[in-house]
Amino acid sequence: ESDGITFNPTLNGEGELRNSDLVNALGGALCGTLLERTKNDPERETVAELATSYNNVFSARLNLWHGMLGATRDGRPFTDAELTHYQERLNAADEAAHEQASGASQEAVLRAQAAVDHKTLAEHGLLFDDQMVQVVDRLVGNLLDGKPTLLVGDKGIAKTQAAKFVAGLWDAEKEPIII
């Protein structure tokens, strides 16, 4: 509160805080404070460019997942040529982001990553760190191969959200069945 950040979440009827409420309340407050503090920041442009690069990496990964599931939905195999095409785009975006980050301060890199994390949390309900990317890769691969998937782990680690995310990639109009 001394920094101007106010966090006052409300609990649902069961006395729990919903993840989306947490993201919006805490993430939004922190993001707003960071934006306010960076208005006159000389690294503001660098942070914005880095955030764009990190968004490009996520978009390339999302395009890969869409391509894989689109092929399966169309009843055809996802070809090696398609995989190569999407992987080349993902690698190019990743290399560009790494190159840009290498010339920036650590703080600028962290602020750009935080901005992208906030955006993906708000849009998809997930933080796409390396572990979550691996989980989604496995879920998409299993769906591609027609294999059932069992997600096991502690309460609150985004198992259901990951399953809903991948189900949404498959068919955004249809509500997934979670058992």
Side-chain angles (χ1 to χ4, degrees), residues 6 11 32 63 88 123 137:
T6 303
L11 302 178
N63 288 337
E88 285 174 353
E123 288 180 11
D137 281 343

Side-chain angles (χ1 to χ4, degrees), residues 47-70:
V47 171
E49 290 170 358
L50 277 168
T52 298
S53 290
Y54 293 143
N55 275 320
N56 291 342
V57 172
F58 180 73
S59 293
R61 188 174 312 283
L62 197 57
N63 288 337
L64 170 62
W65 293 330
H66 276 291
M68 293 172 82
L69 293 176

